[in-house]
Amino acid sequence: FVLESLTPDAHHMAWEMVRQDRRGAVLLETVDSVRRSLVADMPADEVAALVAPLDSDEIADVLAELDEEARQQVLEKLDRQDQAEVRSVLSFPEGTAGAIMDIDFFTVREDASLEAVHRLLRRRKAMPQHTNELIVVDRSNHLCGVLPIEKLLLLEPEVEVRDVMMKEATFFFTDDPVRDVVDSFEKYDLLSAPVVNLHKQVVGRITVDAIVDAVQERAQAESLRQV
């Protein structure tokens, strides 16, 4: 709020007062114009250190404000897994489901038992944020449905996933417009939804926090148009 309230000349003075370990999180909350002005003059090493603690989709949001040369310099300083994931997100056009999807998601096989799923989750030790359901896939990673966490917790462990999953799950293709995704989340009260490619293979998911960000950006754009 403070950064956005200051004049452009004062942005950098205030930015120097932000703790190093909080800068990535602060950048994600600022409007595009402020974010762009702050990262434009940073050396690649500094940007890479700033975004390193963030999730891949969040890193992509920050790097989207850089020109192509600077973006490549920062990407080269990230570890290989982050590089691949960030490049994947950046490859989708702005305003599409692929551009806002989260690639930290958990899938289970349709022929697995609920007990086996429990074991997999315990081995992982941590769940992605906003996980209210698990994405169910076949051997080729094609979307089969979703398994609500409630069913996983309450039903008998020997039951197979295919027998209790929701087969008619709401999902999106990577090239679906964000406005359509937002409308669906509002209409069906979704917390998360799978994202698939043209072959209906799961490549990510969209969570409610990304929808909130998209709604806020749309509201800001409408306000600016009115002004």
PDB file of all heavy atoms in Angstrom, residues 97 100 132-133 168-173 176-195 206-208 210-212 214-215 218:
ATOM      1  N   ALA A  97      -5.855 -19.538 -19.119  1.00  0.00           N
ATOM      2  CA  ALA A  97      -5.800 -20.388 -17.930  1.00  0.00           C
ATOM      3  C   ALA A  97      -4.372 -20.888 -17.674  1.00  0.00           C
ATOM      4  O   ALA A  97      -3.936 -20.979 -16.524  1.00  0.00           O
ATOM      5  CB  ALA A  97      -6.749 -21.574 -18.093  1.00  0.00           C
ATOM      6  N   ILE A 100      -2.113 -18.565 -15.566  1.00  0.00           N
ATOM      7  CA  ILE A 100      -2.362 -18.369 -14.136  1.00  0.00           C
ATOM      8  C   ILE A 100      -2.397 -19.685 -13.362  1.00  0.00           C
ATOM      9  O   ILE A 100      -2.650 -19.688 -12.161  1.00  0.00           O
ATOM     10  CB  ILE A 100      -3.672 -17.594 -13.887  1.00  0.00           C
ATOM     11  CG1 ILE A 100      -4.884 -18.413 -14.339  1.00  0.00           C
ATOM     12  CG2 ILE A 100      -3.655 -16.235 -14.567  1.00  0.00           C
ATOM     13  CD1 ILE A 100      -6.214 -17.839 -13.866  1.00  0.00           C
ATOM     14  N   ASN A 132      -8.347 -29.009  -1.833  1.00  0.00           N
ATOM     15  CA  ASN A 132      -9.625 -29.534  -1.330  1.00  0.00           C
ATOM     16  C   ASN A 132     -10.011 -30.831  -2.034  1.00  0.00           C
ATOM     17  O   ASN A 132     -10.964 -31.494  -1.640  1.00  0.00           O
ATOM     18  CB  ASN A 132     -10.740 -28.505  -1.525  1.00  0.00           C
ATOM     19  CG  ASN A 132     -10.987 -28.205  -2.993  1.00  0.00           C
ATOM     20  OD1 ASN A 132     -10.056 -27.892  -3.731  1.00  0.00           O
ATOM     21  ND2 ASN A 132     -12.236 -28.305  -3.414  1.00  0.00           N
ATOM     22  N   GLU A 133      -9.236 -31.180  -3.082  1.00  0.00           N
ATOM     23  CA  GLU A 133      -9.488 -32.403  -3.821  1.00  0.00           C
ATOM     24  C   GLU A 133      -8.196 -32.835  -4.505  1.00  0.00           C
ATOM     25  O   GLU A 133      -7.309 -32.024  -4.760  1.00  0.00           O
ATOM     26  CB  GLU A 133     -10.595 -32.185  -4.864  1.00  0.00           C
ATOM     27  CG  GLU A 133     -10.260 -31.097  -5.867  1.00  0.00           C
ATOM     28  CD  GLU A 133     -11.438 -30.683  -6.729  1.00  0.00           C
ATOM     29  OE1 GLU A 133     -12.587 -30.956  -6.330  1.00  0.00           O
ATOM     30  OE2 GLU A 133     -11.202 -30.090  -7.798  1.00  0.00           O
ATOM     31  N   GLU A 168     -17.523 -36.125 -13.205  1.00  0.00           N
ATOM     32  CA  GLU A 168     -17.924 -34.923 -13.942  1.00  0.00           C
ATOM     33  C   GLU A 168     -17.303 -33.686 -13.296  1.00  0.00           C
ATOM     34  O   GLU A 168     -18.017 -32.775 -12.866  1.00  0.00           O
ATOM     35  CB  GLU A 168     -19.451 -34.817 -13.989  1.00  0.00           C
ATOM     36  CG  GLU A 168     -20.146 -36.000 -14.629  1.00  0.00           C
ATOM     37  CD  GLU A 168     -19.705 -36.210 -16.072  1.00  0.00           C
ATOM     38  OE1 GLU A 168     -19.506 -35.190 -16.775  1.00  0.00           O
ATOM     39  OE2 GLU A 168     -19.548 -37.374 -16.489  1.00  0.00           O
ATOM     40  N   ALA A 169     -16.011 -33.643 -13.200  1.00  0.00           N
ATOM     41  CA  ALA A 169     -15.321 -32.532 -12.548  1.00  0.00           C
ATOM     42  C   ALA A 169     -15.187 -31.345 -13.499  1.00  0.00           C
ATOM     43  O   ALA A 169     -15.030 -31.520 -14.712  1.00  0.00           O
ATOM     44  CB  ALA A 169     -13.941 -32.973 -12.075  1.00  0.00           C
ATOM     45  N   THR A 170     -15.243 -30.150 -12.951  1.00  0.00           N
ATOM     46  CA  THR A 170     -14.996 -28.940 -13.743  1.00  0.00           C
ATOM     47  C   THR A 170     -13.503 -28.824 -14.009  1.00  0.00           C
ATOM     48  O   THR A 170     -12.692 -28.954 -13.096  1.00  0.00           O
ATOM     49  CB  THR A 170     -15.476 -27.688 -12.987  1.00  0.00           C
ATOM     50  OG1 THR A 170     -16.875 -27.809 -12.726  1.00  0.00           O
ATOM     51  CG2 THR A 170     -15.226 -26.433 -13.815  1.00  0.00           C
ATOM     52  N   PHE A 171     -13.127 -28.623 -15.265  1.00  0.00           N
ATOM     53  CA  PHE A 171     -11.719 -28.465 -15.622  1.00  0.00           C
ATOM     54  C   PHE A 171     -11.599 -27.421 -16.717  1.00  0.00           C
ATOM     55  O   PHE A 171     -12.594 -26.996 -17.320  1.00  0.00           O
ATOM     56  CB  PHE A 171     -11.114 -29.804 -16.075  1.00  0.00           C
ATOM     57  CG  PHE A 171     -11.675 -30.314 -17.369  1.00  0.00           C
ATOM     58  CD1 PHE A 171     -11.077 -29.998 -18.586  1.00  0.00           C
ATOM     59  CD2 PHE A 171     -12.821 -31.110 -17.385  1.00  0.00           C
ATOM     60  CE1 PHE A 171     -11.594 -30.459 -19.782  1.00  0.00           C
ATOM     61  CE2 PHE A 171     -13.345 -31.583 -18.585  1.00  0.00           C
ATOM     62  CZ  PHE A 171     -12.736 -31.255 -19.784  1.00  0.00           C
ATOM     63  N   PHE A 172     -10.359 -27.005 -16.988  1.00  0.00           N
ATOM     64  CA  PHE A 172     -10.114 -25.976 -17.997  1.00  0.00           C
ATOM     65  C   PHE A 172      -8.971 -26.414 -18.907  1.00  0.00           C
ATOM     66  O   PHE A 172      -8.064 -27.126 -18.468  1.00  0.00           O
ATOM     67  CB  PHE A 172      -9.763 -24.636 -17.336  1.00  0.00           C
ATOM     68  CG  PHE A 172     -10.817 -24.148 -16.390  1.00  0.00           C
ATOM     69  CD1 PHE A 172     -10.679 -24.338 -15.027  1.00  0.00           C
ATOM     70  CD2 PHE A 172     -11.957 -23.518 -16.865  1.00  0.00           C
ATOM     71  CE1 PHE A 172     -11.660 -23.914 -14.151  1.00  0.00           C
ATOM     72  CE2 PHE A 172     -12.945 -23.085 -15.999  1.00  0.00           C
ATOM     73  CZ  PHE A 172     -12.800 -23.278 -14.634  1.00  0.00           C
ATOM     74  N   PHE A 173      -9.039 -25.966 -20.155  1.00  0.00           N
ATOM     75  CA  PHE A 173      -7.920 -26.144 -21.076  1.00  0.00           C
ATOM     76  C   PHE A 173      -6.956 -24.973 -20.903  1.00  0.00           C
ATOM     77  O   PHE A 173      -7.354 -23.884 -20.456  1.00  0.00           O
ATOM     78  CB  PHE A 173      -8.425 -26.204 -22.518  1.00  0.00           C
ATOM     79  CG  PHE A 173      -9.159 -27.467 -22.855  1.00  0.00           C
ATOM     80  CD1 PHE A 173     -10.539 -27.495 -22.858  1.00  0.00           C
ATOM     81  CD2 PHE A 173      -8.462 -28.635 -23.143  1.00  0.00           C
ATOM     82  CE1 PHE A 173     -11.228 -28.666 -23.157  1.00  0.00           C
ATOM     83  CE2 PHE A 173      -9.134 -29.810 -23.448  1.00  0.00           C
ATOM     84  CZ  PHE A 173     -10.522 -29.828 -23.451  1.00  0.00           C
ATOM     85  N   ASP A 176      -8.040 -21.603 -22.389  1.00  0.00           N
ATOM     86  CA  ASP A 176      -9.314 -20.978 -22.013  1.00  0.00           C
ATOM     87  C   ASP A 176      -9.071 -19.565 -21.495  1.00  0.00           C
ATOM     88  O   ASP A 176      -8.123 -19.346 -20.722  1.00  0.00           O
ATOM     89  CB  ASP A 176     -10.017 -21.796 -20.929  1.00  0.00           C
ATOM     90  CG  ASP A 176     -10.670 -23.051 -21.488  1.00  0.00           C
ATOM     91  OD1 ASP A 176     -10.841 -23.126 -22.718  1.00  0.00           O
ATOM     92  OD2 ASP A 176     -11.005 -23.945 -20.685  1.00  0.00           O
ATOM     93  N   PRO A 177      -9.892 -18.593 -21.859  1.00  0.00           N
ATOM     94  CA  PRO A 177      -9.716 -17.218 -21.359  1.00  0.00           C
ATOM     95  C   PRO A 177      -9.919 -17.153 -19.846  1.00  0.00           C
ATOM     96  O   PRO A 177     -10.789 -17.836 -19.294  1.00  0.00           O
ATOM     97  CB  PRO A 177     -10.815 -16.432 -22.089  1.00  0.00           C
ATOM     98  CG  PRO A 177     -11.202 -17.277 -23.256  1.00  0.00           C
ATOM     99  CD  PRO A 177     -10.996 -18.695 -22.830  1.00  0.00           C
ATOM    100  N   VAL A 178      -9.135 -16.321 -19.187  1.00  0.00           N
ATOM    101  CA  VAL A 178      -9.236 -16.172 -17.736  1.00  0.00           C
ATOM    102  C   VAL A 178     -10.637 -15.726 -17.329  1.00  0.00           C
ATOM    103  O   VAL A 178     -11.156 -16.145 -16.290  1.00  0.00           O
ATOM    104  CB  VAL A 178      -8.165 -15.189 -17.212  1.00  0.00           C
ATOM    105  CG1 VAL A 178      -8.440 -14.817 -15.746  1.00  0.00           C
ATOM    106  CG2 VAL A 178      -6.781 -15.805 -17.328  1.00  0.00           C
ATOM    107  N   ARG A 179     -11.260 -14.862 -18.125  1.00  0.00           N
ATOM    108  CA  ARG A 179     -12.603 -14.375 -17.757  1.00  0.00           C
ATOM    109  C   ARG A 179     -13.593 -15.538 -17.660  1.00  0.00           C
ATOM    110  O   ARG A 179     -14.495 -15.523 -16.804  1.00  0.00           O
ATOM    111  CB  ARG A 179     -13.082 -13.336 -18.767  1.00  0.00           C
ATOM    112  CG  ARG A 179     -13.240 -13.825 -20.194  1.00  0.00           C
ATOM    113  CD  ARG A 179     -13.754 -12.736 -21.114  1.00  0.00           C
ATOM    114  NE  ARG A 179     -13.873 -13.202 -22.498  1.00  0.00           N
ATOM    115  CZ  ARG A 179     -12.886 -13.203 -23.365  1.00  0.00           C
ATOM    116  NH1 ARG A 179     -11.693 -12.734 -23.007  1.00  0.00           N
ATOM    117  NH2 ARG A 179     -13.079 -13.642 -24.597  1.00  0.00           N
ATOM    118  N   ASP A 180     -13.435 -16.554 -18.521  1.00  0.00           N
ATOM    119  CA  ASP A 180     -14.316 -17.717 -18.443  1.00  0.00           C
ATOM    120  C   ASP A 180     -14.024 -18.546 -17.199  1.00  0.00           C
ATOM    121  O   ASP A 180     -14.939 -19.110 -16.579  1.00  0.00           O
ATOM    122  CB  ASP A 180     -14.141 -18.593 -19.694  1.00  0.00           C
ATOM    123  CG  ASP A 180     -14.657 -17.919 -20.957  1.00  0.00           C
ATOM    124  OD1 ASP A 180     -15.352 -16.882 -20.834  1.00  0.00           O
ATOM    125  OD2 ASP A 180     -14.349 -18.419 -22.062  1.00  0.00           O
ATOM    126  N   VAL A 181     -12.751 -18.626 -16.841  1.00  0.00           N
ATOM    127  CA  VAL A 181     -12.357 -19.358 -15.629  1.00  0.00           C
ATOM    128  C   VAL A 181     -12.937 -18.667 -14.395  1.00  0.00           C
ATOM    129  O   VAL A 181     -13.502 -19.319 -13.506  1.00  0.00           O
ATOM    130  CB  VAL A 181     -10.819 -19.437 -15.521  1.00  0.00           C
ATOM    131  CG1 VAL A 181     -10.415 -20.156 -14.237  1.00  0.00           C
ATOM    132  CG2 VAL A 181     -10.225 -20.147 -16.731  1.00  0.00           C
ATOM    133  N   VAL A 182     -12.817 -17.344 -14.339  1.00  0.00           N
ATOM    134  CA  VAL A 182     -13.356 -16.581 -13.208  1.00  0.00           C
ATOM    135  C   VAL A 182     -14.866 -16.797 -13.091  1.00  0.00           C
ATOM    136  O   VAL A 182     -15.395 -17.042 -11.999  1.00  0.00           O
ATOM    137  CB  VAL A 182     -13.041 -15.080 -13.368  1.00  0.00           C
ATOM    138  CG1 VAL A 182     -13.793 -14.263 -12.308  1.00  0.00           C
ATOM    139  CG2 VAL A 182     -11.540 -14.842 -13.244  1.00  0.00           C
ATOM    140  N   ASP A 183     -15.562 -16.742 -14.214  1.00  0.00           N
ATOM    141  CA  ASP A 183     -17.018 -16.940 -14.205  1.00  0.00           C
ATOM    142  C   ASP A 183     -17.388 -18.323 -13.669  1.00  0.00           C
ATOM    143  O   ASP A 183     -18.355 -18.468 -12.905  1.00  0.00           O
ATOM    144  CB  ASP A 183     -17.580 -16.762 -15.615  1.00  0.00           C
ATOM    145  CG  ASP A 183     -17.506 -15.318 -16.101  1.00  0.00           C
ATOM    146  OD1 ASP A 183     -17.336 -14.417 -15.250  1.00  0.00           O
ATOM    147  OD2 ASP A 183     -17.611 -15.096 -17.325  1.00  0.00           O
ATOM    148  N   SER A 184     -16.624 -19.330 -14.052  1.00  0.00           N
ATOM    149  CA  SER A 184     -16.910 -20.697 -13.591  1.00  0.00           C
ATOM    150  C   SER A 184     -16.651 -20.847 -12.100  1.00  0.00           C
ATOM    151  O   SER A 184     -17.424 -21.507 -11.389  1.00  0.00           O
ATOM    152  CB  SER A 184     -16.059 -21.705 -14.373  1.00  0.00           C
ATOM    153  OG  SER A 184     -16.425 -21.733 -15.737  1.00  0.00           O
ATOM    154  N   PHE A 185     -15.576 -20.248 -11.619  1.00  0.00           N
ATOM    155  CA  PHE A 185     -15.288 -20.311 -10.184  1.00  0.00           C
ATOM    156  C   PHE A 185     -16.410 -19.652  -9.381  1.00  0.00           C
ATOM    157  O   PHE A 185     -16.808 -20.151  -8.322  1.00  0.00           O
ATOM    158  CB  PHE A 185     -13.942 -19.640  -9.880  1.00  0.00           C
ATOM    159  CG  PHE A 185     -12.786 -20.594  -9.820  1.00  0.00           C
ATOM    160  CD1 PHE A 185     -12.285 -21.171 -10.968  1.00  0.00           C
ATOM    161  CD2 PHE A 185     -12.202 -20.921  -8.602  1.00  0.00           C
ATOM    162  CE1 PHE A 185     -11.215 -22.056 -10.928  1.00  0.00           C
ATOM    163  CE2 PHE A 185     -11.133 -21.802  -8.538  1.00  0.00           C
ATOM    164  CZ  PHE A 185     -10.635 -22.376  -9.704  1.00  0.00           C
ATOM    165  N   GLU A 186     -16.910 -18.526  -9.870  1.00  0.00           N
ATOM    166  CA  GLU A 186     -17.995 -17.833  -9.181  1.00  0.00           C
ATOM    167  C   GLU A 186     -19.297 -18.629  -9.266  1.00  0.00           C
ATOM    168  O   GLU A 186     -20.038 -18.740  -8.290  1.00  0.00           O
ATOM    169  CB  GLU A 186     -18.181 -16.441  -9.765  1.00  0.00           C
ATOM    170  CG  GLU A 186     -17.009 -15.506  -9.496  1.00  0.00           C
ATOM    171  CD  GLU A 186     -17.169 -14.152 -10.175  1.00  0.00           C
ATOM    172  OE1 GLU A 186     -18.013 -14.048 -11.101  1.00  0.00           O
ATOM    173  OE2 GLU A 186     -16.470 -13.208  -9.783  1.00  0.00           O
ATOM    174  N   LYS A 187     -19.568 -19.209 -10.420  1.00  0.00           N
ATOM    175  CA  LYS A 187     -20.822 -19.928 -10.637  1.00  0.00           C
ATOM    176  C   LYS A 187     -20.896 -21.206  -9.816  1.00  0.00           C
ATOM    177  O   LYS A 187     -21.944 -21.534  -9.237  1.00  0.00           O
ATOM    178  CB  LYS A 187     -20.972 -20.252 -12.126  1.00  0.00           C
ATOM    179  CG  LYS A 187     -22.269 -20.966 -12.471  1.00  0.00           C
ATOM    180  CD  LYS A 187     -22.371 -21.197 -13.973  1.00  0.00           C
ATOM    181  CE  LYS A 187     -23.676 -21.912 -14.338  1.00  0.00           C
ATOM    182  NZ  LYS A 187     -23.778 -22.130 -15.810  1.00  0.00           N
ATOM    183  N   TYR A 188     -19.779 -21.950  -9.750  1.00  0.00           N
ATOM    184  CA  TYR A 188     -19.790 -23.253  -9.092  1.00  0.00           C
ATOM    185  C   TYR A 188     -19.121 -23.251  -7.715  1.00  0.00           C
ATOM    186  O   TYR A 188     -18.949 -24.317  -7.117  1.00  0.00           O
ATOM    187  CB  TYR A 188     -19.104 -24.290  -9.987  1.00  0.00           C
ATOM    188  CG  TYR A 188     -19.751 -24.434 -11.345  1.00  0.00           C
ATOM    189  CD1 TYR A 188     -19.085 -24.065 -12.505  1.00  0.00           C
ATOM    190  CD2 TYR A 188     -21.050 -24.925 -11.461  1.00  0.00           C
ATOM    191  CE1 TYR A 188     -19.680 -24.188 -13.757  1.00  0.00           C
ATOM    192  CE2 TYR A 188     -21.659 -25.059 -12.708  1.00  0.00           C
ATOM    193  CZ  TYR A 188     -20.973 -24.681 -13.848  1.00  0.00           C
ATOM    194  OH  TYR A 188     -21.567 -24.797 -15.073  1.00  0.00           O
ATOM    195  N   ASP A 189     -18.739 -22.064  -7.218  1.00  0.00           N
ATOM    196  CA  ASP A 189     -18.093 -21.948  -5.891  1.00  0.00           C
ATOM    197  C   ASP A 189     -16.881 -22.873  -5.779  1.00  0.00           C
ATOM    198  O   ASP A 189     -16.726 -23.628  -4.810  1.00  0.00           O
ATOM    199  CB  ASP A 189     -19.090 -22.266  -4.765  1.00  0.00           C
ATOM    200  CG  ASP A 189     -20.192 -21.228  -4.655  1.00  0.00           C
ATOM    201  OD1 ASP A 189     -19.907 -20.039  -4.915  1.00  0.00           O
ATOM    202  OD2 ASP A 189     -21.328 -21.591  -4.309  1.00  0.00           O
ATOM    203  N   LEU A 190     -16.010 -22.818  -6.762  1.00  0.00           N
ATOM    204  CA  LEU A 190     -14.835 -23.692  -6.789  1.00  0.00           C
ATOM    205  C   LEU A 190     -13.724 -23.149  -5.897  1.00  0.00           C
ATOM    206  O   LEU A 190     -13.570 -21.938  -5.728  1.00  0.00           O
ATOM    207  CB  LEU A 190     -14.312 -23.826  -8.222  1.00  0.00           C
ATOM    208  CG  LEU A 190     -15.280 -24.369  -9.267  1.00  0.00           C
ATOM    209  CD1 LEU A 190     -14.645 -24.325 -10.651  1.00  0.00           C
ATOM    210  CD2 LEU A 190     -15.711 -25.788  -8.924  1.00  0.00           C
ATOM    211  N   LEU A 191     -12.932 -24.054  -5.349  1.00  0.00           N
ATOM    212  CA  LEU A 191     -11.704 -23.693  -4.637  1.00  0.00           C
ATOM    213  C   LEU A 191     -10.477 -24.019  -5.491  1.00  0.00           C
ATOM    214  O   LEU A 191      -9.442 -23.380  -5.359  1.00  0.00           O
ATOM    215  CB  LEU A 191     -11.613 -24.434  -3.297  1.00  0.00           C
ATOM    216  CG  LEU A 191     -12.632 -24.037  -2.234  1.00  0.00           C
ATOM    217  CD1 LEU A 191     -12.441 -24.881  -0.986  1.00  0.00           C
ATOM    218  CD2 LEU A 191     -12.502 -22.560  -1.894  1.00  0.00           C
ATOM    219  N   SER A 192     -10.616 -25.013  -6.346  1.00  0.00           N
ATOM    220  CA  SER A 192      -9.535 -25.384  -7.264  1.00  0.00           C
ATOM    221  C   SER A 192     -10.136 -26.178  -8.416  1.00  0.00           C
ATOM    222  O   SER A 192     -11.258 -26.690  -8.313  1.00  0.00           O
ATOM    223  CB  SER A 192      -8.448 -26.207  -6.550  1.00  0.00           C
ATOM    224  OG  SER A 192      -8.977 -27.457  -6.122  1.00  0.00           O
ATOM    225  N   ALA A 193      -9.381 -26.278  -9.513  1.00  0.00           N
ATOM    226  CA  ALA A 193      -9.850 -27.031 -10.674  1.00  0.00           C
ATOM    227  C   ALA A 193      -8.644 -27.429 -11.525  1.00  0.00           C
ATOM    228  O   ALA A 193      -7.681 -26.662 -11.647  1.00  0.00           O
ATOM    229  CB  ALA A 193     -10.824 -26.201 -11.502  1.00  0.00           C
ATOM    230  N   PRO A 194      -8.676 -28.629 -12.130  1.00  0.00           N
ATOM    231  CA  PRO A 194      -7.562 -29.082 -12.973  1.00  0.00           C
ATOM    232  C   PRO A 194      -7.466 -28.283 -14.271  1.00  0.00           C
ATOM    233  O   PRO A 194      -8.464 -27.762 -14.776  1.00  0.00           O
ATOM    234  CB  PRO A 194      -7.902 -30.546 -13.261  1.00  0.00           C
ATOM    235  CG  PRO A 194      -8.990 -30.916 -12.313  1.00  0.00           C
ATOM    236  CD  PRO A 194      -9.718 -29.659 -12.004  1.00  0.00           C
ATOM    237  N   VAL A 195      -6.248 -28.219 -14.806  1.00  0.00           N
ATOM    238  CA  VAL A 195      -6.003 -27.633 -16.125  1.00  0.00           C
ATOM    239  C   VAL A 195      -5.369 -28.713 -16.998  1.00  0.00           C
ATOM    240  O   VAL A 195      -4.440 -29.399 -16.556  1.00  0.00           O
ATOM    241  CB  VAL A 195      -5.066 -26.408 -16.042  1.00  0.00           C
ATOM    242  CG1 VAL A 195      -4.826 -25.827 -17.437  1.00  0.00           C
ATOM    243  CG2 VAL A 195      -5.656 -25.343 -15.128  1.00  0.00           C
ATOM    244  N   ILE A 206      -5.805 -24.613 -11.228  1.00  0.00           N
ATOM    245  CA  ILE A 206      -6.059 -23.221 -10.879  1.00  0.00           C
ATOM    246  C   ILE A 206      -6.687 -23.202  -9.494  1.00  0.00           C
ATOM    247  O   ILE A 206      -7.595 -23.986  -9.201  1.00  0.00           O
ATOM    248  CB  ILE A 206      -6.975 -22.541 -11.908  1.00  0.00           C
ATOM    249  CG1 ILE A 206      -6.262 -22.437 -13.252  1.00  0.00           C
ATOM    250  CG2 ILE A 206      -7.406 -21.157 -11.433  1.00  0.00           C
ATOM    251  CD1 ILE A 206      -7.089 -21.840 -14.356  1.00  0.00           C
ATOM    252  N   THR A 207      -6.198 -22.318  -8.629  1.00  0.00           N
ATOM    253  CA  THR A 207      -6.708 -22.231  -7.270  1.00  0.00           C
ATOM    254  C   THR A 207      -7.383 -20.883  -7.049  1.00  0.00           C
ATOM    255  O   THR A 207      -7.201 -19.939  -7.812  1.00  0.00           O
ATOM    256  CB  THR A 207      -5.570 -22.405  -6.249  1.00  0.00           C
ATOM    257  OG1 THR A 207      -4.540 -21.442  -6.512  1.00  0.00           O
ATOM    258  CG2 THR A 207      -4.973 -23.802  -6.341  1.00  0.00           C
ATOM    259  N   VAL A 208      -8.153 -20.814  -5.983  1.00  0.00           N
ATOM    260  CA  VAL A 208      -8.989 -19.641  -5.742  1.00  0.00           C
ATOM    261  C   VAL A 208      -8.165 -18.374  -5.541  1.00  0.00           C
ATOM    262  O   VAL A 208      -8.620 -17.267  -5.869  1.00  0.00           O
ATOM    263  CB  VAL A 208      -9.916 -19.901  -4.525  1.00  0.00           C
ATOM    264  CG1 VAL A 208      -9.100 -20.018  -3.244  1.00  0.00           C
ATOM    265  CG2 VAL A 208     -10.983 -18.821  -4.412  1.00  0.00           C
ATOM    266  N   ALA A 210      -5.530 -17.467  -7.219  1.00  0.00           N
ATOM    267  CA  ALA A 210      -5.257 -16.915  -8.550  1.00  0.00           C
ATOM    268  C   ALA A 210      -6.494 -16.219  -9.101  1.00  0.00           C
ATOM    269  O   ALA A 210      -6.389 -15.205  -9.804  1.00  0.00           O
ATOM    270  CB  ALA A 210      -4.815 -18.030  -9.497  1.00  0.00           C
ATOM    271  N   ILE A 211      -7.678 -16.740  -8.780  1.00  0.00           N
ATOM    272  CA  ILE A 211      -8.920 -16.123  -9.231  1.00  0.00           C
ATOM    273  C   ILE A 211      -9.133 -14.786  -8.551  1.00  0.00           C
ATOM    274  O   ILE A 211      -9.546 -13.802  -9.179  1.00  0.00           O
ATOM    275  CB  ILE A 211     -10.113 -17.065  -8.961  1.00  0.00           C
ATOM    276  CG1 ILE A 211      -9.937 -18.361  -9.752  1.00  0.00           C
ATOM    277  CG2 ILE A 211     -11.427 -16.389  -9.306  1.00  0.00           C
ATOM    278  CD1 ILE A 211      -9.806 -18.168 -11.248  1.00  0.00           C
ATOM    279  N   VAL A 212      -8.835 -14.719  -7.262  1.00  0.00           N
ATOM    280  CA  VAL A 212      -8.951 -13.448  -6.536  1.00  0.00           C
ATOM    281  C   VAL A 212      -8.035 -12.397  -7.162  1.00  0.00           C
ATOM    282  O   VAL A 212      -8.433 -11.238  -7.365  1.00  0.00           O
ATOM    283  CB  VAL A 212      -8.609 -13.639  -5.037  1.00  0.00           C
ATOM    284  CG1 VAL A 212      -8.504 -12.288  -4.331  1.00  0.00           C
ATOM    285  CG2 VAL A 212      -9.669 -14.500  -4.363  1.00  0.00           C
ATOM    286  N   ALA A 214      -6.984 -12.322 -10.255  1.00  0.00           N
ATOM    287  CA  ALA A 214      -7.521 -11.968 -11.569  1.00  0.00           C
ATOM    288  C   ALA A 214      -8.699 -11.010 -11.442  1.00  0.00           C
ATOM    289  O   ALA A 214      -8.833 -10.063 -12.227  1.00  0.00           O
ATOM    290  CB  ALA A 214      -7.956 -13.233 -12.314  1.00  0.00           C
ATOM    291  N   VAL A 215      -9.544 -11.227 -10.438  1.00  0.00           N
ATOM    292  CA  VAL A 215     -10.694 -10.342 -10.219  1.00  0.00           C
ATOM    293  C   VAL A 215     -10.220  -8.946  -9.825  1.00  0.00           C
ATOM    294  O   VAL A 215     -10.750  -7.933 -10.298  1.00  0.00           O
ATOM    295  CB  VAL A 215     -11.620 -10.930  -9.131  1.00  0.00           C
ATOM    296  CG1 VAL A 215     -12.677  -9.906  -8.712  1.00  0.00           C
ATOM    297  CG2 VAL A 215     -12.290 -12.191  -9.633  1.00  0.00           C
ATOM    298  N   ARG A 218      -8.847  -7.155 -12.845  1.00  0.00           N
ATOM    299  CA  ARG A 218      -9.930  -6.709 -13.717  1.00  0.00           C
ATOM    300  C   ARG A 218     -10.618  -5.477 -13.140  1.00  0.00           C
ATOM    301  O   ARG A 218     -10.945  -4.536 -13.871  1.00  0.00           O
ATOM    302  CB  ARG A 218     -10.943  -7.839 -13.912  1.00  0.00           C
ATOM    303  CG  ARG A 218     -12.037  -7.517 -14.919  1.00  0.00           C
ATOM    304  CD  ARG A 218     -12.789  -8.759 -15.343  1.00  0.00           C
ATOM    305  NE  ARG A 218     -13.520  -9.362 -14.242  1.00  0.00           N
ATOM    306  CZ  ARG A 218     -14.244 -10.476 -14.365  1.00  0.00           C
ATOM    307  NH1 ARG A 218     -14.296 -11.094 -15.543  1.00  0.00           N
ATOM    308  NH2 ARG A 218     -14.907 -10.972 -13.340  1.00  0.00           N
TER     309      ARG A 218
END
